[in-house]
Amino acid sequence: MLAVLASALAGEAVVAAGATSDPAKAAPAGANVAAMAPLEFFLARGEADACGPGCNEWIAAEGKIDPGTAQRLRRLLTKLGRRRPPIYFHSPGGSIVGSIELGRLIREQKFEVSVAHTIPLGCDRDKPLEQSCEAQKRSGQELDAEFDPAVAMCNSACVYAVAGGAVRRIPPWVKLGIHDVGFDPAKTQPRGALLGEAKRLAHARIHEYLREMGIDEALFRAAAAVPFESKRFLEREELVRFGIDRREFGETGWQFVDKPAPAMSKRFFARTESDPVRYLDGFVSLDCGVGQAIRLALARPHDDSDTLSAWARFLSVNGHRFDLPYQIPSRELDARSTSVPASTFDALGDTATIGLSEPAAGATLNMHGFSAAYAKLRRSCDEAARNAVAVALPKKPIPYLDAGTLRALSPPAAQGPTRAQNTPAAPVAARPETARSALSAPDTPAQSEPVQQGCGLHIAEEPQHVTGRVTGFVSGEEALAITRRVEARLGAKISPAYLSLKRATVERYPEGGNRPTRAAIPENMAVRIGDVVELNSRYADKSLPCHFIPWTIDRLVDHVE
């Protein structure tokens, strides 16, 4: 889900994962569920506290369940002796008979169970079915590995294996997939009355097993109501009601990722005070901001009901309130953010706390794993800042560096206030040849434009006024992609107030014939294809260092009938 937010945040900077848009439903990118090998157990080791406070080793259960799965766990238990680390499943399901036998063994041995994906070191996360990776899992050796609760699955028969846990913890955002029993198409299937009898016996066996494990029979009814060829995912309310995981609050540790962009996050769920009772899935993330800033964001999946209509407008970090004024455009998420000096987080440790506001007021997130993840993020952000400065270096050698040149080439953190922040900007004359060519190359700053010293940004300090005709509209995804490219080229961020505005495609008028630009449409303005409008060209935002105001429709010149 962090990748979804990263894409949305790229729009703000202009600010799981798997094959589907829902991380709770997704297998790892590139995974072919049908090709997954039979489930294998191996002891995995990670960084300190990788699988929770005080937990750096766990039993990984990866693959499809078959009738021999329980016996493979028994072989591992022989090696472990009295050790009983938690078991983390990543499985699409499989044999009902195998899962019930496995679940009973797990209960007998009093294991704690959960869901997470385990990637042995040396395995390609995007190619989990490579033979070398499968060979590691079946080697019988203890493996150094990465622990990833964000991109994991437990569907079908896997749910029954998890039901056997003496303690069951389903991580935030993970949804268990259920459906009715079916028959292996590769084997001879019963026909006629035998088919109905076989299904009845399977149902009776599942019903008895779930009662034995203390699971509400409503889970059996819910699964039986879903055709075998389909799948339904349990919501957190159902996990509580069925007795699979009765916790009213849960959270993961902080996790750092470097793709698609460096970021760190922690996920959580919390019961709200709504009627009927609802549970909120959310996550907090940090990523690189401008200069020495860190962007703080809070997100949840979109909710179409009114039950969770209120959404947090601020976070409290170690007792200090941070408002979240910026709405991040995203189809999947309801997300808000703000920019915070990096020094604020530099001083935090793993003993700090984050307090939530409505609709989960009173819930407090811990900072478990924060220090290790933040150290990686800061290194990545510092490297990105150095690279941004390197891009701004002149391509031709210069004979010496005077004070002005040093200021222009230094990282923002090493500079004092910029001219754009302290003194009125001199207006830029809109030369006729510049105005005529403006719409033909909307994403390329003119060479004659002044330099904003604060971040090496080459952009005008005042807008030009250009006339154009509206020829179409731009989707939200395309607008974000275009803005991200412009930001990367300029080395600056779009002003937050313009993030959520719709975009129109505008061609120069009356000449036409040049490449169009994409212009923001003010909230109080309605335009149609064919309208003639006056645009303000892109220019520096003097209220925010290293930010710019995008091409924007200023007024309607002629409304098409």
Side-chain angles (χ1 to χ4, degrees):
M1 209 56 177
L2 190 58
V4 176
L5 182 63
S7 298
L9 288 175
E12 178 177 355
V14 207
V15 144
T20 73
S21 61
D22 188 338
K25 304 176 183 179
N32 180 350
V33 171
M36 291 184 75
L39 190 146
E40 192 64 61
F41 298 93
F42 60 93
L43 187 67
R45 291 180 178 276
E47 298 177 347
D49 302 328
C51 45
C55 175
N56 73 328
E57 69 173 26
W58 65 97
I59 296 174
E62 303 260 326
K64 292 188 295 187
I65 298 171
D66 64 8
T69 299
Q71 185 57 35
R72 290 193 289 275
L73 178 58
R74 288 190 180 94
R75 287 201 297 266
L76 178 62
L77 294 181
T78 300
K79 294 182 179 180
L80 294 180
R82 295 180 177 274
R83 295 158 66 189
R84 289 295 180 269
I87 299 176
Y88 283 88
F89 281 90
H90 176 63
S91 170
S95 166
I96 291 294
V97 173
S99 67
I100 289 177
E101 183 182 358
L102 175 60
R104 287 199 168 108
L105 175 60
I106 288 172
R107 177 60 61 89
E108 174 190 312
Q109 297 294 323
K110 298 180 173 58
F111 274 106
E112 175 183 329
V113 298
S114 187
V115 181
H117 184 32
T118 302
I119 307 100
L121 296 186
C123 288
D124 188 335
R125 177 185 294 270
D126 296 327
K127 298 177 181 178
L129 303 182
E130 284 188 336
Q131 290 185 356
S132 60
C133 187
E134 291 298 323
Q136 283 195 66
K137 296 177 183 179
R138 282 156 177 74
S139 67
Q141 303 296 314
E142 298 183 7
L143 301 177
D144 291 331
E146 290 184 57
F147 179 85
D148 189 354
V151 183
M153 62 179 166
C154 181
N155 301 329
S156 186
C158 174
V159 177
Y160 301 133
V162 165
V167 176
R168 299 177 290 266
R169 300 183 186 277
I170 309 305
W173 294 76
V174 171
K175 295 181 180 179
L176 305 184
I178 60 171
H179 59 66
D180 197 9
V181 296
F183 296 93
D184 188 344
K187 298 181 180 179
T188 302
Q189 299 186 30
R191 298 180 180 276
L194 290 178
L195 177 63
E197 180 63 13
K199 193 169 184 178
R200 186 190 67 78
L201 289 174
H203 281 167
R205 189 166 186 176
I206 294 170
H207 193 272
E208 177 186 4
Y209 167 75
L210 291 177
R211 184 171 61 248
E212 181 183 333
M213 296 298 115
I215 302 296
D216 194 292
E217 66 176 15
L219 172 60
F220 167 75
R221 294 197 301 269
V226 181
F228 173 69
E229 299 79 9
S230 184
K231 197 184 287 110
R232 182 169 83 79
F233 294 91
L234 300 178
E235 299 295 337
R236 178 62 58 174
E237 292 86 353
E238 294 175 303
L239 296 179
V240 173
R241 178 157 45 91
F242 297 162
I244 298 174
D245 183 352
R246 295 188 184 279
R247 293 178 298 162
E248 296 187 348
F249 173 81
E251 59 186 318
T252 66
W254 285 92
Q255 182 182 19
F256 172 80
V257 297
D258 56 4
K259 297 178 180 179
M264 57 185 284
S265 68
K266 75 174 294 155
R267 297 172 297 135
F268 65 90
F269 68 84
R271 174 177 172 166
T272 69
E273 298 302 320
S274 60
D275 185 17
V277 172
R278 293 290 304 276
Y279 287 80
L280 170 74
D281 280 318
F283 71 89
V284 180
S285 73
L286 301 178
D287 76 329
C288 305
V290 177
Q292 293 297 306
I294 295 292
R295 186 164 33 227
L296 170 67
L298 175 65
R300 69 167 186 184
H302 274 309
D303 190 290
D304 295 330
S305 71
D306 293 331
T307 308
L308 298 180
S309 56
W311 179 227
R313 298 301 180 105
F314 69 89
L315 288 173
S316 176
V317 180
N318 230 22
H320 184 78
R321 172 171 170 151
F322 291 96
D323 292 322
L324 305 171
Y326 305 133
Q327 186 83 34
I328 303 171
S330 170
R331 289 186 176 182
E332 294 87 1
L333 300 172
D334 183 357
R336 307 186 68 85
S337 73
T338 191
S339 186
V340 179
S343 57
T344 301
F345 299 107
D346 292 345
L348 293 181
D350 291 354
T351 59
T353 59
I354 294 180
L356 301 175
S357 59
E358 295 295 339
T364 301
L365 307 180
N366 65 42
M367 300 295 273
H368 163 67
F370 178 85
S371 297
Y374 184 70
K376 296 176 183 178
L377 178 66
R378 283 290 273 141
R379 284 196 296 269
S380 297
C381 293
D382 290 345
E383 181 179 354
R386 288 194 297 271
N387 291 340
V389 173
V391 170
L393 289 172
K395 292 182 173 60
K396 295 182 179 180
I398 54 178
Y400 61 91
L401 294 177
D402 58 20
T405 305
L406 281 173
R407 283 195 299 272
L409 300 181
S410 298
Q415 301 176 37
T418 67
R419 178 169 60 86
Q421 292 171 287
N422 290 305
T423 59
V428 178
R431 294 189 297 273
E433 62 273 18
T434 304
R436 282 197 299 270
S437 62
L439 284 177
S440 64
D443 295 336
T444 304
Q447 294 298 317
S448 59
E449 290 174 344
V451 178
Q452 184 183 357
Q453 300 287 341
C455 54
L457 174 62
H458 290 258
I459 193 169
E461 294 182 356
E462 298 293 340
Q464 301 171 22
H465 305 292
V466 183
T467 302
R469 183 184 292 277
V470 177
T471 60
F473 298 94
V474 181
S475 69
E477 292 86 349
E478 184 181 357
L480 289 179
I482 292 171
T483 307
R484 184 166 50 197
R485 290 197 298 269
V486 173
E487 278 203 322
R489 187 157 50 245
L490 295 178
K493 306 294 183 183
I494 190 173
S495 295
Y498 292 80
L499 280 175
S500 60
L501 298 183
K502 296 180 179 179
R503 298 296 196 271
T505 302
V506 183
E507 291 185 352
R508 191 175 63 188
Y509 180 83
E511 294 89 348
N514 289 294
R515 188 173 63 142
T517 190
R518 279 79 175 179
I521 306 172
E523 291 182 350
N524 60 350
M525 181 180 294
V527 297
R528 295 182 291 191
I529 294 177
D531 287 349
V532 177
V533 295
E534 183 177 284
L535 306 177
N536 287 336
S537 66
R538 186 187 304 121
Y539 65 103
D541 185 347
K542 299 172 187 175
S543 65
L544 291 172
C546 293
H547 282 67
F548 65 88
I549 294 171
W551 282 82
T552 307
I553 296 177
D554 182 55
R555 67 184 183 91
L556 184 65
V557 176
D558 186 16
H559 202 48
V560 67
E561 294 298 334

